[in-house]
Amino acid sequence: MGNTLRVISVVGARPNFMKIAPLARAINAHNAGGGTPRIEHRLVHTGQHYDVEMSAAFFDALDIPAPDVDLGIGSGTHAQQVGQTMIAFEQVLRDWPPDWVLVVGDVNATCACTITAKKEHLKVAHIEAGLRSFDQDMPEEINRLVTDRLADVLFTTDHIADANLRAEGTADERIRFVGNIMIDTLDAQRELAAPLKVADIIRDNAIADGEEDAARFAGTADGDFAVLTLHRPSNVDDPHILPDLVAYFIDEVAARMPLVWTLHPRTRNRLEASGLLDRVLATPNIVLLRPIGYREMLRLNMSARIILTDSGGIQEECCVLGTPCVTLRWNTERPITLTDHGGTNVLAGNDVARIRDAVNLLMEKKRVPHRPELWDGHTAERIVRYLAGTRAG
Ligand code: UD1
């Protein structure tokens, strides 16, 4: 291997792509600047998310190099996704054993590839370590716990995550506070997002008649609409919860202001299966969009009056952009984004009365952007500097 450092990084699902883009760029910059050791980087896509709009579109828009290996895992139960990823990834590691395997976030690929790499006696670094919802009903929490127990280096986004890791008995030398790599992408993309027009985003992505929807939204001023994203199994898979939420969105949110709802495939399937999709499509003040690109979502976030979401990453983006954010979950692994810590985020669970109170509260609030420590756009550089330092001299 000489004086090169071999790195394999892993992506699997949509929320991973914005975390890998800055890393690939920082590795290129390191090599282009004559940094030593030279880093040889290979990108592995497990293929958990495979629709163009959930995957390939992000590679193009965020300028991520094409994956060197695509494991093509696709949909399945958790055991199928994790098991098939492990089998396929083991071969990748045997063909080209790296000095480091880099995993990001909390999806099934993160956990599956960590276990595989450790069983091959390889070093693993986890980007976005230490986040805890303390709710093991969330598949992501299990992925986080397993990954952080095994990974050699734990790159954290904030000091709450550091404290979570310490409380689990993690030695200090494994913990590296580097900031939030998601914000590297947000900073790199916001000027490109700013000129996009909300009506164009709607026209190009509407599930129904884009022209009609765009025309209806053409007069909507900045700050005059709400955005909704929903995909957690706990919200969309439970037949006792989804109908109440949908009734609230139709009868109350859309009655108050236009609502742009970007539909995750899981949610679309559930709405279709329960016969609710047509009701939502027939609500004039709601526009349903297919999964949209990173930049388009950023643009909506930049001028939404309020966002209702159960996503992890959107809570963080709202914090930095200052968008009032109602999180439709009972807990968050990202408490740094909550109003108690200076962010814009209020937890409301999936109980309509709680959500109504949170929406009423946040509708009174102004945009107050807030950047936690080291959410400064330079996290990927810190990570690359650390990795290069592991082969110094
Ligand atoms: C996954 C992640 C979650 C992340 C989310 C973001 C895990 C455990 N969960 O959840 O952490 O917040 O992605 O999107 O890894 N589907 C498609 N096309 C696709 C991808 C999925 O139609 O490109 C369908 C699948 O067939 C499945 C459903 O969407 O029925 C859910 O996909 P799945 O990969 O199980 O997990 P997500 O809910 O997307």
Side-chain angles (χ1 to χ4, degrees), residues 12-16 47-55 74-78 81 105-110 138-141 143-144 231-233 236-237 264-267 269-270 291 310-313:
R14 184 171 61 176
N16 293 162
Q48 175 175 344
H49 283 176
Y50 45 84
D51 287 347
V52 170
E53 57 213 8
M54 295 292 284
S55 181
S75 303
T77 66
H78 285 270
Q81 286 184 340
D106 56 18
V107 302
N108 287 333
T110 316
M138 282 178 77
E140 293 83 354
E141 183 75 352
N143 293 338
R144 293 181 200 119
H231 78 282
R232 297 262 157 217
V236 305
D237 289 0
H264 185 283
R266 172 189 288 278
T267 313
N269 293 343
R270 298 292 180 256
D310 60 6
S311 150

Side-chain angles (χ1 to χ4, degrees), residues 212-277:
E212 213 178 274
D213 282 331
R216 265 192 289 116
F217 271 68
T220 305
D222 263 14
D224 247 3
F225 62 92
V227 172
L228 169 66
T229 85
L230 204 64
H231 78 282
R232 297 262 157 217
S234 54
N235 284 333
V236 305
D237 289 0
D238 187 334
H240 301 293
I241 288 175
L242 188 61
D244 286 355
L245 291 177
V246 170
Y248 170 71
F249 302 143
I250 292 176
D251 298 337
E252 299 189 42
V253 180
R256 191 163 177 178
M257 66 194 139
L259 175 63
V260 183
W261 183 353
T262 63
L263 259 196
H264 185 283
R266 172 189 288 278
T267 313
R268 184 172 185 161
N269 293 343
R270 298 292 180 256
L271 287 177
E272 256 160 6
S274 57
L276 290 166
L277 187 65

Side-chain angles (χ1 to χ4, degrees), residues 62-137:
L62 300 180
D63 213 11
I64 306 172
D68 298 281
V69 183
D70 191 337
L71 305 181
I73 300 304
S75 303
T77 66
H78 285 270
Q80 284 165 347
Q81 286 184 340
V82 171
Q84 285 163 11
T85 300
M86 287 181 66
I87 294 166
F89 192 57
E90 182 181 62
Q91 193 57 51
V92 172
L93 296 177
R94 288 184 178 177
D95 291 345
W96 198 78
D99 297 293
W100 283 100
V101 172
L102 276 185
V103 296
V104 295
D106 56 18
V107 302
N108 287 333
T110 316
C111 158
C113 293
T114 299
I115 299 172
T116 314
K118 290 312 296 173
K119 282 176 178 278
E120 291 294 299
H121 314 294
L122 294 166
K123 281 192 290 187
V124 175
H126 181 206
I127 300 176
E128 206 180 73
L131 301 185
R132 296 288 181 271
S133 66
F134 303 101
D135 173 7
Q136 291 192 19
D137 286 341

Side-chain angles (χ1 to χ4, degrees), residues 228 230 235 241 244-245 248-249 252-253 256 306 308-309 326-330 346-362:
L228 169 66
L230 204 64
N235 284 333
I241 288 175
D244 286 355
L245 291 177
Y248 170 71
F249 302 143
E252 299 189 42
V253 180
R256 191 163 177 178
I306 191 167
L308 293 89
T309 188
V326 176
T327 294
L328 306 184
R329 291 172 47 190
W330 296 107
V346 171
L347 292 180
N350 51 23
D351 172 74
V352 166
R354 296 271 304 254
I355 300 169
R356 181 184 297 120
D357 286 348
V359 168
N360 289 341
L361 176 77
L362 291 191

